[in-house]
């Protein structure tokens, strides 16, 4: 089945130790998104890739970076995780980002990050 | 800028009873509206969406939603709840700007009593 895959499902890191979360998709979608979701809150968009174009949200901290080496993969790098970065990180895709808000976003199962 | 409000943070419903989740939006034009469900520890799954046309839309898992422009609402309903419907439900509005961004409401957590 075509899907959005996130690895690992759970990640434990130490305060200040860089960590990378991975997302892959078999949908061949053009757009990939990273969301941060804290407990009992709505997902918050961090950034998205429209093909190779990187689009950062204005309030996304510099501590968060992303890479998209090809259509299928996208990575979230947290350079120096703080305790406040503990959250669920959701990856999502949409087909081509051209439908002006109509496109369905397909979400992966998320990676829960714990910072010790 | 668009915004979405889900007035109910928690709802408890008995299994077999009906369920209605409220969603109010603010948007300058015709909105694109979505309902997603998130089971514990999982990602979000699309239940249904509304773009135009018939204001009553059917979704998966027996859910439906009704768009009411006069009330700026897009409430989600299910006639008879199953224990597996216990989850968090998010209403979202899609932006017309490039990138197809979604703005989510704060979510409503549904608990199902036996």
């Amino acid at each position: 089945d075509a899907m959005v895959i996130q690895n690992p499902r759970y990640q434990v890191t130490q305060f200040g130790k860089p960590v990378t979360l991975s997302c892959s998709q078999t949908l061949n979608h053009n757009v990939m998104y990273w969301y941060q979701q804290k407990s009992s809150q709505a997902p918050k968009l961090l950034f998205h890739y429209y093909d190779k174009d990187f689009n950062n949200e204005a309030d996304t901290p510099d501590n968060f970076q992303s890479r998209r080496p090809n259509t299928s993969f996208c990575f979230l790098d947290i350079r120096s995780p703080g305790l406040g970065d503990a959250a669920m990180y959701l990856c999502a895709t949409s087909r081509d980002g051209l439908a002006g808000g109509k496109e369905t976003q397909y979400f992966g199962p998320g990676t829960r990050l714990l910072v010790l | 800028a668009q915004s979405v409000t889900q007035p109910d943070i928690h709802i408890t419903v008995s299994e077999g009873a009906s369920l209605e989740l409220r969603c109010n939006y603010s948007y300058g034009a015709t909105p694109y509206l979505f309902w997603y469900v998130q089971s514990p520890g999982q990602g979000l799954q699309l239940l249904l969406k509304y773009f135009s046309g018939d204001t009553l839309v059917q979704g998966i898992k027996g859910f439906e939603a009704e768009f009411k422009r006069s009330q700026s609402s897009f409430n989600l309903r299910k006639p008879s709840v199953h224990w597996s419907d216990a989850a968090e439900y998010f209403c979202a509005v899609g932006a017309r700007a490039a990138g197809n961004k979604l703005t989510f409401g704060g979510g409503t957590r549904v608990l199902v009593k036996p």
Side-chain angles (χ1 to χ4, degrees):
Chain A
D1 286 342
M3 59 177 60
V4 182
I5 302 160
Q6 290 189 246
N7 287 306
R9 294 293 309 278
Y10 299 91
Q11 176 74 56
V12 181
T13 190
Q14 293 178 336
F15 183 93
K17 184 174 180 181
V19 65
T20 295
L21 308 183
S22 168
C23 176
S24 64
Q25 53 125 344
T26 61
L27 297 160
N28 202 32
H29 281 177
N30 208 24
V31 190
M32 295 187 76
Y33 310 80
W34 279 105
Y35 290 87
Q36 179 192 63
Q37 186 182 25
K38 296 190 175 179
S39 183
S40 301
Q41 296 184 20
K44 177 180 179 297
L45 183 65
L46 295 173
F47 25 61
H48 72 277
Y49 273 95
Y50 177 74
D51 194 11
K52 296 178 182 178
D53 277 343
F54 177 70
N55 297 272
N56 202 29
E57 292 301 295
D59 57 354
T60 298
D62 292 341
N63 198 26
F64 291 85
Q65 304 286 322
S66 185
R67 296 170 284 135
R68 189 179 185 186
N70 54 53
T71 300
S72 300
F73 284 88
C74 196
F75 300 99
L76 170 62
D77 300 309
I78 308 176
R79 291 192 296 186
S80 181
L83 298 179
D85 296 327
M88 174 80 91
Y89 290 88
L90 296 167
C91 175
T93 72
S94 67
R95 192 181 60 191
D96 58 23
L98 297 177
K102 288 184 177 181
E103 285 186 6
T104 298
Q105 289 190 19
Y106 297 84
F107 285 81
T111 295
R112 185 166 295 282
L113 178 68
L114 180 63
V115 182
L116 300 178
Chain B
Q2 65 269 23
S3 66
V4 181
T5 302
Q6 294 179 244
D8 304 305
I9 298 175
H10 293 101
I11 285 182
T12 299
V13 61
S14 297
E15 192 167 13
S18 63
L19 174 68
E20 181 167 13
L21 304 182
R22 296 184 290 164
C23 172
N24 295 100
Y25 67 89
S26 173
Y27 191 65
T30 300
Y32 303 137
L33 295 162
F34 304 80
W35 273 101
Y36 281 86
V37 60
Q38 185 177 32
S39 297
Q42 300 296 318
L44 279 70
Q45 181 184 21
L46 180 71
L47 285 175
L48 46 79
K49 56 189 176 184
Y50 172 79
F51 299 150
S52 64
D54 192 347
T55 56
L56 185 63
V57 293
Q58 302 297 319
I60 62 170
K61 304 187 180 189
F63 284 92
E64 65 178 25
E66 186 171 13
F67 171 63
K68 292 186 177 180
R69 184 186 300 276
S70 61
Q71 298 177 19
S72 297
S73 70
F74 188 55
N75 293 350
L76 181 72
R77 298 192 292 255
K78 186 169 183 176
S80 178
V81 167
H82 187 261
W83 64 266
S84 60
D85 294 322
E88 185 131 28
Y89 293 79
F90 291 97
C91 182
V93 62
R96 292 170 180 263
N100 194 41
K101 297 182 189 180
L102 287 176
T103 299
F104 287 93
T108 298
R109 184 170 298 277
V110 173
L111 303 175
V112 180
K113 295 189 301 184

